[in-house]
Amino acid sequence: MKVIDYILLTLVIIGAINWGLIGFLNFDLVRVIFGDMSLFSRIIYAAVGIGGLYAISYYGRIHTASE
């Protein structure tokens, strides 16, 4: 389970950096590297989204660990 946590946390960080670049510089790194909504870029966006949804479970783990 720990490996999945690290992989998905990395995806969430990549997504956050990409959104930061879009917000501050109007630069979409995923689009530049993988193309404008190519199949692979859509897979990257979907994986980052799934990682974000999975990261919601960290709140429950933090709460459980603090007790």
Side-chain angles (χ1 to χ4, degrees), residues 57-67:
S57 71
Y58 294 160
Y59 284 113
R61 294 186 213 172
I62 291 170
H63 179 71
T64 302
S66 66
E67 292 179 349

Side-chain angles (χ1 to χ4, degrees), residues 40-63:
F40 198 68
S41 67
R42 291 176 61 95
I43 291 170
I44 296 296
Y45 287 125
V48 168
I50 290 169
L53 292 174
Y54 180 80
I56 293 170
S57 71
Y58 294 160
Y59 284 113
R61 294 186 213 172
I62 291 170
H63 179 71

Side-chain angles (χ1 to χ4, degrees), residues 14-64:
I14 290 168
I17 291 170
N18 193 53
W19 276 110
L21 288 171
I22 291 169
F24 290 117
L25 305 174
N26 197 23
F27 180 75
D28 187 348
L29 185 62
V30 173
R31 181 181 49 84
V32 169
I33 293 174
F34 300 112
D36 190 21
M37 288 315 239
S38 68
L39 177 63
F40 198 68
S41 67
R42 291 176 61 95
I43 291 170
I44 296 296
Y45 287 125
V48 168
I50 290 169
L53 292 174
Y54 180 80
I56 293 170
S57 71
Y58 294 160
Y59 284 113
R61 294 186 213 172
I62 291 170
H63 179 71
T64 302

